[in-house]
């Protein structure tokens, strides 16, 4: 009975992670289209939600990587109830670390990787449970680390070249008419990125639920991905995407580069091509890394050739720290849950405690977000502070202060 209750809790928490993935990563598909005016904010997130839903059904290659390519299943004797419960606790603690990091970075508008938060969470929990041998390190290197290192650079180079070509070929065109056509083109390319995001990211939650089902003895590791798992994950990420995620959209759309329609089209085309290719190959690529690399590349060869390197540097810092911080959180929460299970005499108490931790931590961050809300009406406000008679405006009404990632990383404890 305890395994069944814990499994239900894990599935619910996994779907909540999928929801946070949706609103955290909406920016990857729609930030540039919103910034250039190609799509209205609510139209953009609604379109992205529908396409994430559809994309989730296109492939399960990445789900297989998550289910069997991170945690070493051979390290657990799943015929033993205690070992099965231990693996379930690994999954639960891994989700806890991923969700907490997702919500923290969303609060401060930092476009970090939901994928790497999940991978880091699973790695940290597996190490806590059975040591360093509990992780499939070759799979982590081949399918996660190497793609994370190369993807932003490849995306940036492709987007930079594409942007340069676009401006070169349209140099004699009337700018207003040119931009109008490129905005129409952005609707198509942004839709393709949203479809690709659903194909890639929804599968990661499918893989986690599949892993939990294997741990609970519902089926073995070679079982076909059940349709109900696909449908549940597709719906969760779609709802999360529709909810907006405007804090991160603002950073990618206005904070990194002052982007124009030709740049937006080039960046989105680059992102979609790379994400779809990686999904087909089963590489658990971060759509955030790809989208950000593409936007930076388009900024370098755009009309002003400018990138806000301070913002880019803070993003890079978040990328580097995402996996280890999520791993550290999950490592600690696994032992906390283990302690609660020992005190309560049942593993369910560990799951309940982790649920309480998520409710308190997540609730606090949602509360903090409401103090300086970012929504469809202010997401496109100017990033730079407004100069007034008393100097730059940096209060709550100052557009640049709505989501300033400097505040997020330099003043975490304040």
């Amino acid at each position: 009975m305890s395994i069944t209750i814990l499994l239900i809790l894990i599935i619910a928490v996994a779907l909540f992670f999928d929801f946070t993935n949706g609103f955290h990563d909406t920016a990857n598909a729609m930030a540039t289209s919103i910034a250039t005016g190609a799509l209205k904010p609510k139209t953009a997130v609604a379109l992205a939600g529908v396409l994430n839903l559809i994309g989730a059904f296109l492939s399960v290659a990445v789900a297989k990587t998550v289910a069997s390519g991170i945690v070493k299943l051979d390290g657990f004797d799943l015929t033993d109830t205690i070992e099965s419960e231990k693996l379930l606790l690994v999954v639960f603690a891994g989700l806890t670390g991923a969700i907490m990091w997702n919500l923290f970075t969303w609060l401060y508008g930092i476009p970090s990787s939901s994928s790497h938060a999940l991978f880091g969470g699973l790695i940290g929990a597996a190490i806590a449970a059975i040591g360093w041998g509990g992780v499939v390190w070759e799979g982590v290197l081949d399918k996660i680390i190497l793609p994370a290192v190369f993807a932003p650079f490849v995306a940036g180079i492709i987007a930079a070249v594409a942007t340069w070509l676009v401006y070169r070929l349209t140099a004699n065109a009337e700018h207003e008419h040119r931009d109008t056509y490129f905005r129409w083109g952005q609707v198509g390319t942004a839709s393709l990125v949203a479809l690709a995001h659903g194909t890639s990211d929804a599968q990661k939650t499918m893989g986690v639920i599949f892993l939990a089902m294997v741990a609970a003895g519902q089926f073995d590791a070679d079982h076909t991905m059940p349709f109900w798992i696909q449908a549940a994950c597709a719906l969760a990420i779609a709802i999360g995407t529709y909810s907006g995620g405007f804090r991160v959209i603002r950073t990618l759309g206005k904070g990194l580069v002052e982007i124009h329609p030709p740049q937006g089209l080039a960046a989105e085309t680059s992102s979609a091509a790379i994400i779809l290719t990686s999904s087909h190959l089963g590489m658990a690529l971060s759509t955030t890394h790809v989208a950000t690399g593409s936007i930076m590349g388009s900024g370098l060869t755009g009309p002003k050739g400018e990138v806000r390197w301070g913002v880019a540097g803070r993003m890079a810092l978040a990328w580097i720290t995402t996996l280890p911080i999520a791993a550290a959180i999950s490592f600690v929460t696994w032992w906390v849950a283990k302690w609660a299970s020992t005190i309560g005499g049942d593993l369910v108490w560990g799951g309940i405690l982790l649920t309480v931790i998520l409710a308190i931590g997540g609730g606090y961050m949602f509360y903090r977000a409401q103090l300086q809300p970012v929504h469809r009406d202010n997401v496109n406000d100017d990033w730079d502070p407004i100069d007034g008679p008393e100097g730059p405006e940096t209060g709550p009404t100052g557009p640049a202060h709505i989501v300033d990632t400097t505040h997020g990383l330099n003043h975490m404890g304040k």
Side-chain angles (χ1 to χ4, degrees):
M1 177 63 74
S2 62
I3 286 183
T4 302
I5 295 173
L6 191 63
L7 180 60
I8 292 171
L9 284 174
I10 288 173
I11 292 173
V13 170
L15 292 176
F16 180 65
F17 166 78
D18 207 22
F19 173 84
T20 67
N21 192 342
F23 73 69
H24 194 287
D25 290 1
T26 310
N28 299 338
M30 294 299 171
T32 54
S33 294
I34 292 173
T36 62
L39 288 167
K40 298 292 185 182
K42 289 303 290 184
T43 302
V45 296
L47 179 61
V50 171
L51 291 167
N52 268 284
L53 179 68
I54 296 171
F57 290 99
L58 298 183
S59 171
V60 293
V62 174
K64 294 291 186 180
T65 297
V66 175
S68 59
I70 298 174
V71 178
K72 188 171 291 184
L73 296 180
D74 292 344
F76 299 87
D77 181 5
L78 299 182
T79 62
D80 185 340
T81 301
I82 295 177
E83 288 289 295
S84 296
E85 292 178 345
K86 184 187 291 186
L87 180 54
L88 283 172
L89 206 58
V90 166
V91 176
F92 208 147
L95 286 168
T96 302
I99 290 171
M100 295 300 285
W101 182 250
N102 254 8
L103 292 177
F104 175 81
T105 51
W106 162 78
L107 173 63
Y108 291 110
I110 304 170
S112 68
S113 171
S114 299
S115 304
H116 283 204
L118 177 60
F119 303 148
L122 291 174
I123 290 169
I127 292 172
I130 58 175
W132 292 91
V135 179
V136 185
W137 292 109
E138 59 272 20
V140 171
L141 178 65
D142 294 342
K143 298 290 188 177
I144 299 172
I145 302 298
L146 291 179
V149 171
F150 290 109
F153 293 102
V154 173
I157 291 170
I158 293 174
V161 172
T163 301
W164 181 82
L165 285 173
V166 163
Y167 278 108
R168 179 88 173 184
L169 294 173
T170 61
N172 296 324
E174 201 279 319
H175 287 189
E176 185 175 343
H177 290 164
R178 179 200 65 188
D179 287 355
T180 298
Y181 290 126
F182 275 106
R183 286 190 185 97
W184 280 107
Q186 276 193 274
V187 175
T189 53
S191 298
L192 192 58
V193 176
L195 186 71
H197 180 263
T199 304
S200 176
D201 278 39
Q203 290 185 57
K204 292 158 190 171
T205 306
M206 293 179 204
V208 170
I209 295 177
F210 188 93
L211 181 59
M213 296 293 286
V214 170
Q218 297 299 309
F219 39 70
D220 59 39
D222 296 323
H223 196 280
T224 303
M225 181 68 67
F227 176 78
W228 70 265
I229 294 180
Q230 285 185 276
C233 293
L235 189 60
I237 200 170
I239 294 172
T241 301
Y242 179 71
S243 70
F246 290 115
R247 306 182 80 81
V248 183
I249 288 174
R250 174 167 170 73
T251 302
L252 272 185
K254 301 297 290 185
L256 187 60
V257 173
E258 286 295 336
I259 202 160
H260 301 280
Q263 296 166 268
L265 184 72
E268 290 162 1
T269 302
S270 172
S271 296
I274 292 173
I275 295 167
L276 286 171
T277 301
S278 68
S279 295
H280 176 71
L281 297 175
M283 291 189 295
L285 199 65
S286 166
T287 55
T288 301
H289 292 179
V290 174
T292 305
S294 295
I295 292 172
M296 288 179 63
S298 70
L300 290 172
T301 52
K304 292 184 178 181
E306 292 180 357
V307 173
R308 289 189 179 94
W309 292 109
V311 176
R314 291 187 286 274
M315 288 183 190
L317 178 61
W319 292 357
I320 294 169
T321 57
T322 289
L323 197 147
I325 289 178
I329 295 171
S330 295
F331 183 92
V332 172
T333 53
W334 189 90
W335 282 108
V336 169
K338 181 68 173 176
W339 169 80
S341 301
T342 302
I343 297 296
D346 196 307
L347 194 72
V348 170
W349 290 107
I352 291 173
L353 180 58
L354 291 184
T355 304
V356 171
I357 290 172
L358 282 172
I360 294 173
Y364 173 73
M365 282 184 269
F366 277 113
Y367 163 74
R368 283 288 303 272
Q370 297 312 305
L371 300 179
Q372 290 183 322
V374 181
H375 43 74
R376 62 182 179 179
D377 296 324
N378 63 9
V379 68
N380 267 347
D381 285 350
D382 290 337
W383 183 265
D384 296 320
I386 299 172
D387 291 323
E390 298 179 0
E393 183 178 348
T394 56
T397 59
H401 191 68
I402 293 172
V403 178
D404 180 355
T405 52
T406 308
H407 183 277
L409 288 179
N410 293 346
H411 301 278
M412 291 181 185
K414 297 182 179 180

